[in-house]
Amino acid sequence: PPVGEEVKINPKNILNIFINERGGILIDKDVVELKDIRSIVEQRIAENDKLIVSIQMDKNATYRMMIDVLDEAKLAEAPKISLAVPEF
């Protein structure tokens, strides 16, 4: 969307991945391992072709971990990936 314009997205079309400051990964509040992200994202895309993967990270998390999670989402062929600021 143009700058300043908000687009409402149905929450069921968003897969939230959060990286905490210690490198722990949560997908929709479930703790997961990095090696499992690709299969989880692939499964969710098979269930919902409008899925947007939203990667959020704690301000103290490492950049390397964000890149690793992003790579796994790309390998799962996520059609849309968002890097977002956590809302809490």
Side-chain angles (χ1 to χ4, degrees):
V3 174
E5 184 177 322
E6 285 189 30
V7 174
K8 296 290 181 185
I9 299 171
N10 188 332
K12 73 176 187 177
N13 292 336
I14 300 174
L15 175 65
N16 291 298
I17 301 176
F18 179 73
I19 305 164
N20 71 24
E21 66 182 21
R22 295 177 308 279
I25 303 166
L26 299 169
I27 293 184
D28 290 337
K29 300 184 182 180
D30 294 321
V31 177
V32 300
E33 298 292 323
L34 179 65
K35 65 180 180 57
D36 298 323
I37 292 174
R38 182 177 179 179
S39 63
I40 292 168
V41 173
E42 287 173 338
Q43 177 184 359
R44 297 287 186 91
I45 291 169
E47 297 167 0
N48 180 353
D49 64 350
K50 295 178 182 174
L51 193 72
I52 298 169
V53 176
S54 176
I55 301 172
Q56 304 172 38
M57 60 187 278
D58 184 276
K59 66 180 181 177
N60 296 316
T62 65
Y63 182 72
R64 176 78 250 161
M65 182 57 82
M66 190 266 306
I67 294 299
D68 289 345
V69 171
L70 179 60
D71 286 347
E72 290 299 312
K74 286 182 174 182
L75 288 169
E77 298 182 16
K80 294 180 182 176
I81 300 172
S82 167
L83 299 178
V85 176
E87 295 181 8
F88 47 86

